[in-house]
Amino acid sequence: MSNSAESASQRPLRVAIVGAGPAGVYAADILTKSNEVKGGDVEVSIDLFEAYPAPYGLIRYGVAPDHPRIKGIVNALHKVLDRGDIRFLGNVTYGRDLTLHDFRAFYDAVIFSTGAIRDADLDIPGVELEGSFGGADFVSWYDGHPDVPRDWPLDAREIAVIGNGNVALDVARMLVKHADELLVTEIPDNVYEGLKKSPVTDVHVFGRRGPAQVKFTPLELRELSHARDVDIVLYPEDFEFDEASDDAIRSNNQTKTMVNTMTNWLVEEHAEAEQPSSRRLHLHFLHSPVEIYDDGGSGKVAGIKFERMQLDGTGNVKGTGEFIDYPVQAVYRAIGYHGSPLDELEYDAKRGVIPNEGGRVLDAYGNPVPGIYATGWIKRGPVGLIGHTKGDALETIGFLLEDRLTLPPAKNPDPQAIIDLLEERGIEYTTWEGWNRLNSHEAALGAAWSESAAADGVVRERIKVVPREEMIDISRA
């Protein structure tokens, strides 16, 4: 087929989306439902690529398995991909299996929605000690990421979690919750066995600012109180409010809800119940980490030092010069995610994003790269909730459609051509039909377990398959 602009206008617009998490699926869905497509001005043909054998990205490998909203989001994404107008191609890694040159040869436009999966750096002494972990790495482990080790060192009785966002609360909840409570989720067997052996008694969550400046949401906060045999412990000296805090409580219902919830817990004094729980979750505010230290040069975490902070009237904080030590045997850093660079594209290392203007990817000179776009966290940074990616996608798709008549046309737009290339290179790609097989297999594992443990009354809806090779074999069977 000719690669002229004229011929491109007489066939479907070929679009590749790299990353099949919520951002990528939303972008595909918005494009197919755009006025230009529905009105017949343009026809589209979309391929959705994913580095993992299964779809859903962050939903499958970045959110705690007991999160109550997971099922609803998965169901929504499933409906989009199950329509059949978007082709899913899993187990295909950008930069290794396919290059930007490859994508340009087969597609008129490429949208990158690769997200952010590594931990933001915490620049304090001791982060390299044994027992100091990145929260994102722990999330990958308990979510059964196929490319991380199967085992996790869970030998600490006292643990510090640094951060005051939803990920910090997820990490803390998974560390302190009794493993048997997680059986009703899709938790992998190796994760269940690891958590069940954990000797943890106390998990401390530390935030740098005050209760009115936390970044988690009311839903995440309320989930903490649902854990069985876990007391929530708060400290009166941490409940400091300045003028900006009072303004936030008055003007923001979410902030008001969270502050009221925590102050109620404080008044109720959960930790002094007649039957104290075997585990405690401590929430600390106005603590800034200074150093993680070992014990006599052992190289293992023995404690963490914080400087006590105070609010400055604007909602920000300043140091007091008072330092506090907490004996812990493990530290988890959950202060945010950071995007990773992508081959052949510019990268803003400070922000962890692909430089772009409204989703149009920029070159080293700040000029838009024809036909290359970004959406989701790799576009704007790892902030906001999953639903915010819809707004990102809407903006990006708007610019793609605006540019459609000037896009560099694919040399070989035949949908079969990319399949032929993957097979020629021996890439064991997976499909939507393959995901349905894997999905059914995981559900069957849960049913079999539930039947064998019927006397216990525990029902497992599914058990997540972890090894990549097994996922591929089942998907391609």
Side-chain angles (χ1 to χ4, degrees):
M1 182 178 289
S2 168
N3 67 345
S4 69
E6 182 180 359
S7 65
S9 67
Q10 297 170 355
R11 58 168 172 78
L13 184 72
R14 289 283 286 150
V15 178
I17 300 176
V18 182
V25 177
Y26 289 152
D29 189 39
I30 288 170
L31 179 55
T32 61
K33 294 178 178 176
S34 65
N35 290 332
E36 290 83 350
V37 172
K38 289 195 299 183
D41 294 337
V42 59
E43 186 181 353
V44 293
S45 170
I46 304 171
D47 286 343
L48 185 63
F49 290 87
E50 173 55 58
Y52 310 130
Y56 306 146
L58 174 70
I59 297 299
R60 185 171 169 93
Y61 295 122
V63 180
D66 61 344
H67 199 297
R69 288 184 295 186
I70 287 181
K71 289 182 181 178
I73 298 172
V74 166
N75 289 340
L77 299 180
H78 180 94
K79 287 179 181 177
V80 173
L81 295 180
D82 205 43
R83 294 195 312 247
D85 56 346
I86 300 164
R87 185 167 62 173
F88 172 75
L89 296 170
N91 199 43
V92 180
T93 300
Y94 172 77
R96 185 191 67 192
D97 300 326
L98 294 176
T99 66
L100 186 61
H101 176 79
D102 294 327
F103 279 107
R104 283 198 173 281
F106 297 103
Y107 299 93
D108 306 301
V110 185
I111 304 172
F112 288 91
S113 58
T114 50
I117 59 172
R118 71 179 183 87
D119 286 286
D121 294 331
L122 178 64
D123 188 18
I124 62 171
V127 292
E128 76 289 345
L129 291 174
E130 182 181 341
S132 173
F133 306 106
D137 294 333
F138 183 56
V139 171
S140 292
W141 175 75
Y142 68 59
D143 271 335
H145 192 295
D147 300 330
V148 302
R150 302 286 183 268
D151 299 318
W152 189 271
L154 289 163
D155 49 12
R157 296 180 64 84
E158 300 159 299
I159 300 171
V161 178
I162 303 172
N164 252 178
N166 284 341
V167 175
L169 289 195
D170 278 353
V171 167
R173 196 176 66 255
M174 290 295 292
L175 285 166
V176 80
K177 209 168 186 177
H178 290 278
D180 285 349
E181 281 196 82
L182 296 166
L183 283 173
V184 296
T185 73
E186 61 180 25
I187 186 172
D189 284 336
N190 66 297
V191 176
Y192 168 71
E193 294 298 335
L195 291 172
K196 191 172 180 63
K197 296 173 185 176
S198 171
V200 66
T201 59
D202 293 83
V203 175
H204 300 261
V205 181
F206 295 95
R208 187 169 178 271
R209 297 198 288 170
Q213 287 80 39
V214 294
K215 295 297 184 183
F216 41 75
T217 57
L219 178 63
E220 292 282 350
L221 183 63
R222 286 194 296 268
E223 283 178 31
L224 297 182
S225 65
H226 298 160
R228 179 183 55 80
D229 190 34
V230 176
D231 286 332
I232 299 173
V233 185
L234 299 105
Y235 299 85
E237 63 270 24
D238 288 349
F239 281 74
E240 178 181 312
F241 303 94
D242 61 0
E243 184 177 343
S245 301
D246 292 337
D247 287 343
I249 293 169
R250 282 193 299 267
S251 62
N252 188 302
N253 285 333
Q254 179 167 298
T255 301
K256 181 179 180 180
T257 299
M258 289 190 292
V259 171
N260 285 345
T261 299
M262 289 186 287
T263 51
N264 287 339
W265 288 348
L266 183 64
V267 171
E268 291 169 7
E269 297 180 345
H270 286 205
E272 297 182 10
E274 290 184 9
Q275 295 292 331
S277 299
S278 66
R279 294 179 176 180
R280 289 159 294 280
L281 178 61
H282 307 255
L283 297 180
H284 303 269
F285 305 102
L286 300 170
H287 282 66
S288 181
V290 175
E291 177 189 9
I292 303 169
Y293 55 87
D294 63 2
D295 184 12
S298 66
K300 298 181 179 180
V301 170
I304 182 168
K305 182 189 294 292
F306 291 90
E307 181 177 8
R308 183 79 188 174
M309 310 302 284
Q310 65 182 18
L311 293 165
D312 66 2
T314 69
N316 291 313
V317 291
K318 57 184 179 181
T320 65
E322 176 189 353
F323 295 90
I324 311 171
D325 288 303
Y326 291 87
V328 296
Q329 299 83 51
V331 175
Y332 288 76
R333 309 177 303 277
I335 58 173
Y337 286 101
H338 203 73
S340 302
L342 294 167
D343 285 359
E344 301 180 74
L345 298 176
E346 290 300 311
Y347 177 66
D348 182 338
K350 184 176 181 180
R351 296 180 57 220
V353 300
I354 300 172
N356 69 93
E357 284 184 356
R360 288 181 173 124
V361 171
L362 305 177
D363 63 18
Y365 304 100
N367 301 314
V369 181
I372 307 297
Y373 301 86
T375 191
W377 280 3
I378 199 64
K379 169 187 174 182
R380 62 178 165 86
V383 293
L385 302 176
I386 290 171
H388 293 152
T389 57
K390 289 185 179 179
D392 278 338
L394 190 62
E395 180 183 50
T396 296
I397 294 303
F399 283 126
L400 187 157
L401 289 169
E402 186 179 305
D403 299 340
R404 68 183 185 276
L405 297 180
T406 59
L407 294 173
K411 295 181 176 63
N412 192 347
D414 182 352
Q416 181 61 33
I418 189 67
I419 301 298
D420 292 342
L421 179 66
L422 292 173
E423 293 181 347
E424 178 185 318
R425 292 179 177 177
I427 298 167
E428 295 182 300
Y429 65 90
T430 59
T431 63
W432 181 246
E433 293 74 21
W435 160 246
N436 284 328
R437 281 192 288 272
L438 178 59
N439 189 32
S440 297
H441 178 81
E442 292 184 344
L445 291 177
W449 191 97
S450 301
E451 184 177 349
S452 66
D456 296 331
V458 177
V459 176
R460 300 184 73 178
E461 288 190 16
R462 63 189 298 123
I463 299 175
K464 188 181 288 184
V465 173
V466 179
R468 180 182 284 264
E469 298 77 13
E470 186 177 348
M471 293 173 68
I472 294 169
D473 287 345
I474 294 167
S475 298
R476 292 172 59 89

